Amino acid sequence: MTVFAVGIELDGEGTHPAAWRRSSHRPDQLLTGKTVRDRVAAAENAGFTFATFDDSILPPSGDVVGRIDAVSRASYVAATTSTIGLVPVVGTTYAEPFHTSSQLATLDYSSRGRGGWLAVPVEDEAAAKAWGRAPVTTESARQQEQRDSVTVVTDLWDSWEDDAVVRDYLSGRFLERDRLHYVNFEGDTFSVKGPAIVPRPPQGQLVVFGRYGEIDPRQADVVLVSGDSVEAVTQSAAKARDEGASLVVVEVDVAFDTPNLSAAQRLIELNSHGKAVDSGRLLLAADPGEAAVVLRELAGHLDGVHVHALVIDEDLPVLAKFVLPALSKAGLTRRPVPGSTLRGNLGLQRPANRFAHSS
């Protein structure tokens, strides 16, 4: 049976802009290593397959207006975790793909093969000013830079063959030079010769995530789809598969009943401080048992779920205590084990090096 992957977004306090009002720590503790570490540890202990960390060079919207960059957060918890996949969001517009490739390869080494990345285009022209670049103003140009960036990042990971590093101290030989390759990429906004400065990552290629409509499904290992109903989600999943997606994962917002308040009451209270922007994702605001039923239905059409909690500190414990155990009992999910890679936990093979045949 194909395993149903479960992921969770751990940026900020939750999807609601006023989520900080119901967090379990003081507001000044959000941007600390302890909060990041504790939440990722809780997700790992619950049995999540992967955690994502949203990011932007611009401040986040809502009441919380600061964050630590996603790759740094993922790298920080790499040494304190052993099974959960770590998937930072990385903008592909304006960023230098050579640096992106190096940072992510390092993440894969520090996590012992549990790295991934969610490649996203950047629309806000204020980001161009922050990067010192001319604005990319059209959708077609953003899509082209996205394709080019993903191509260069993944080609650079293959620019070192797996056996390029020799480490023969007696002879003084440390590299096989003919097993390093130039990528020689020329694009509209950048060119990269290579090879990379970091040897090929443990997974060969980190897992590439991308949202349907933002990435060519053939370039992604995991395509994330959304929809405001089960029917809309399954239709989007079918389209993504038709366009070449390997794995399709649905993004959902969750808000559960808690011992003190129902999901509806929690939403009313938080909305009194400012209503959340419609995310376009399916909302499961219900008893956790009812949510598990919907997820079991979705498991018949998709390869996993990526949840966005209304309030992380309130909804993550419900996911851990009720929802994930229900999915496990139904035989849909499998708890990752120490020593496994993110690719392995997603059922993906370690890819062959695309340049190896030329040596």
Side-chain angles (χ1 to χ4, degrees):
M1 175 185 291
T2 302
V3 175
F4 191 67
V6 284
I8 184 169
E9 168 59 46
L10 292 179
D11 184 60
E13 301 287 14
T15 62
H16 200 284
W20 66 272
R21 296 176 180 273
R22 298 192 61 85
S23 68
S24 62
H25 57 79
R26 301 194 318 269
D28 65 345
Q29 294 298 303
L30 172 61
L31 302 182
T32 64
K34 182 180 185 303
T35 297
V36 175
R37 185 176 64 246
D38 289 350
R39 286 180 174 168
V40 176
E44 180 172 71
N45 291 337
F48 277 94
T49 314
F50 63 92
T52 58
F53 307 87
D54 199 9
D55 203 4
S56 171
I57 197 170
L58 303 174
S61 58
D63 292 347
V64 178
V65 293
R67 58 159 59 101
I68 305 167
D69 80 88
V71 176
S72 293
R73 280 177 281 163
S75 298
Y76 174 73
V77 297
T80 64
T81 54
S82 61
T83 63
I84 193 168
L86 305 172
V87 185
V89 166
V90 179
T92 55
T93 314
Y94 310 121
E96 292 288 347
F98 189 91
H99 300 319
T100 297
S101 176
S102 299
Q103 289 176 317
L104 292 171
T106 303
L107 169 63
D108 207 41
Y109 274 103
S110 61
S111 65
R112 300 170 299 283
R114 291 180 286 118
W117 66 309
L118 174 49
V120 299
V122 180
E123 294 186 19
D124 195 327
E125 293 186 15
K129 185 177 181 180
W131 281 106
R133 282 270 309 274
V136 179
T137 58
T138 67
E139 179 64 21
S140 60
R142 282 191 293 270
Q143 290 180 352
Q144 184 61 55
E145 191 155 344
Q146 169 99 322
R147 286 191 293 270
D148 290 350
S149 181
V150 175
T151 295
V152 169
V153 169
T154 53
D155 278 357
L156 284 167
W157 289 333
D158 278 352
S159 65
W160 291 58
E161 294 186 35
D162 290 319
D163 54 357
V165 179
V166 178
R167 292 194 178 96
D168 187 340
Y169 293 94
L170 292 178
S171 67
R173 291 175 59 252
F174 299 96
L175 288 175
E176 290 284 0
R177 292 185 60 184
D178 61 351
R179 300 192 186 280
L180 270 63
H181 304 277
Y182 295 112
V183 300
N184 291 325
F185 179 87
E186 294 283 345
D188 294 336
T189 56
F190 57 80
S191 61
V192 176
K193 186 176 182 64
I197 58 174
V198 181
R200 196 173 191 229
Q203 293 182 100
Q205 295 277 328
L206 280 76
V207 180
V208 181
F209 290 71
R211 292 191 172 95
Y212 184 63
E214 293 184 351
I215 195 169
D216 183 340
R218 295 167 297 182
Q219 282 192 302
D221 297 297
V222 179
V223 175
L224 303 175
V225 297
S226 296
D228 58 6
S229 66
V230 172
E231 181 181 7
V233 165
T234 55
Q235 288 176 349
S236 293
K239 291 178 182 178
R241 293 193 197 281
D242 288 343
E243 294 176 24
S246 298
L247 298 178
V248 183
V249 169
V250 58
E251 295 197 274
V252 301
D253 290 334
V254 297
F256 298 116
D257 295 345
T258 62
N260 299 321
L261 293 173
S262 69
Q265 290 172 322
R266 294 173 61 212
L267 280 168
I268 291 172
E269 179 185 327
L270 287 168
N271 285 341
S272 69
H273 302 288
K275 195 169 183 179
V277 177
D278 183 7
S279 67
R281 297 185 288 262
L282 178 65
L283 173 61
L284 301 181
D287 174 89
E290 296 173 5
V293 170
V294 176
L295 292 177
R296 286 199 295 268
E297 179 183 355
L298 290 171
H301 305 277
L302 295 115
D303 302 296
V305 61
H306 179 220
V307 299
H308 298 250
L310 180 76
V311 179
I312 293 173
D313 288 345
E314 290 185 324
D315 292 301
L316 177 52
V318 177
L319 285 160
K321 189 173 182 179
F322 299 107
V323 180
L324 266 66
L327 297 178
S328 178
K329 185 176 181 180
L332 297 175
T333 60
R334 181 183 63 199
R335 178 180 290 271
V337 298
S340 57
T341 66
L342 179 55
R343 297 191 73 89
N345 289 325
L346 293 171
L348 297 168
Q349 297 295 315
R350 189 178 191 276
N353 188 305
R354 68 197 71 189
F355 295 115
H357 69 278
S358 65
S359 58

